[in-house]
Structures are given as structure tokens and as C-alpha cells.
């Protein structure tokens, strides 16, 4: 909070919700499972640093916006970060693969359908850009 990086949330402190997901050296991790010393020398990216610039959204953020991949918004940053990492590893996923890839991130509002559709839309956009 002192740094103005409030997108990453404390959801449970047990790594079961995923609201705390960040990228560490490009891989999604639940930040509550890491000590600060473990991050020493690595690159930590929060939702605030995912977009290419301050006036445009990352492809996954844009897809979440366009597909209403959020409800209350609490889980959204973690879902977006997990999805961005997932799509780096699996750029052409099936719906089932998306569901399995995001299973460590929970949405209390049960907005999974639109979240999955957003990830599939982001995958399509990324494929078209290649």
C-alpha cells in the first residue's frame, strides 16, 4: 500500500485463493507463499506493471474488460496474472485447459464462465498478433 500497488490482494494467507498472484521472473506465483528474501534478485511484476504502458491495457486485461471477466473484482488481478502466465505456456488452450490452468485461483462470485471466455479471447488475440 505504501508503494501504491494495491492490485495484489491478501485473500487467505494460505495460497488457496490466488488473489495474491504476481509474476516472478515471468512465472505466476502466489505471493503469500514467498518470503521477500526469495524474491531478491528476481523480477516481480504486479498487475500494475503488466500493461505495456499507462495508456493501454495488456491483452489479457483488455479481454477481461471486453468479456466481463469480473464481478466484484477482488480476484481479478490474480486471475489476470495467472492467465497471462498460463497463455505464455499454452498459447492455444482449449476451454478445459483454461479451467485447469486457473484452478488455483478462486472467484467467490462464481464468474468463471466469463473469466474462461476472456482467457480464450486473449489467446485468440495473441495468436492473431503472431
Amino acid at each position: 500500500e505504501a508503494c501504491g500497488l494495491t492490485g495484489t490482494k491478501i485473500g487467505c494467507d494460505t495460497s488457496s485463493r490466488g488473489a495474491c498472484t504476481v509474476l516472478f521472473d515471468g512465472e505466476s506465483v502466489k505471493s503469500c507463499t514467498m518470503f521477500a528474501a526469495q524474491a531478491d534478485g528476481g523480477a516481480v511484476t504486479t498487475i500494475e506493471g503488466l500493461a505495456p504502458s499507462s495508456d493501454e491495457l495488456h491483452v489479457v486485461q483488455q479481454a477481461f474488460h471486453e468479456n466481463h471477466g469480473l464481478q466484484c473484482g477482488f480476484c481479478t488481478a490474480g486471475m489476470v496474472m495467472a492467465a497471462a502466465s498460463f497463455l505464455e505456456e499454452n498459447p492455444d488452450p482449449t476451454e478445459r485447459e483454461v479451467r485447469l490452468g486457473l484452478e488455483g485461483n478462486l472467484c467467490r462470485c462464481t464468474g468463471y464462465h466469463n473469466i474462461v471466455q476472456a482467457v480464450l479471447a486473449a489467446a485468440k488475440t495473441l495468436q492473431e498478433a503472431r
Side-chain angles (χ1 to χ4, degrees):
E1 288 182 16
C3 296
L5 304 174
T6 58
T8 305
K9 306 286 189 241
I10 299 171
C12 61
D13 279 335
T14 62
S15 77
S16 62
R17 295 207 30 106
C20 66
T21 302
V22 299
L23 301 181
F24 178 66
D25 289 339
E27 297 284 329
S28 67
V29 298
K30 294 178 181 172
S31 61
C32 71
T33 64
M34 290 185 68
F35 293 112
Q38 290 174 290
D40 188 30
V44 176
T45 305
T46 66
I47 190 73
E48 291 87 356
L50 189 62
S53 71
S54 62
D55 60 342
E56 62 183 310
L57 297 174
H58 183 274
V59 171
V60 176
Q61 291 171 311
Q62 186 68 38
F64 267 65
H65 172 72
E66 291 173 359
N67 291 275
H68 195 66
L70 56 101
Q71 286 188 27
C72 80
F74 190 83
C75 72
T76 304
M79 287 285 189
V80 167
M81 299 305 281
S85 176
F86 171 75
L87 290 175
E88 285 292 320
E89 296 173 19
N90 187 348
D92 188 21
T94 65
E95 180 177 333
R96 177 168 166 67
E97 289 170 333
V98 171
R99 289 181 182 279
L100 291 172
L102 297 180
E103 71 182 353
N105 290 68
L106 302 179
C107 172
R108 287 187 190 179
C109 301
T110 66
Y112 296 109
H113 177 75
N114 288 351
I115 290 168
V116 171
Q117 295 309 305
V119 176
L120 291 170
K124 182 177 179 184
T125 299
L126 290 167
Q127 289 167 15
E128 292 169 355
R130 291 180 190 189

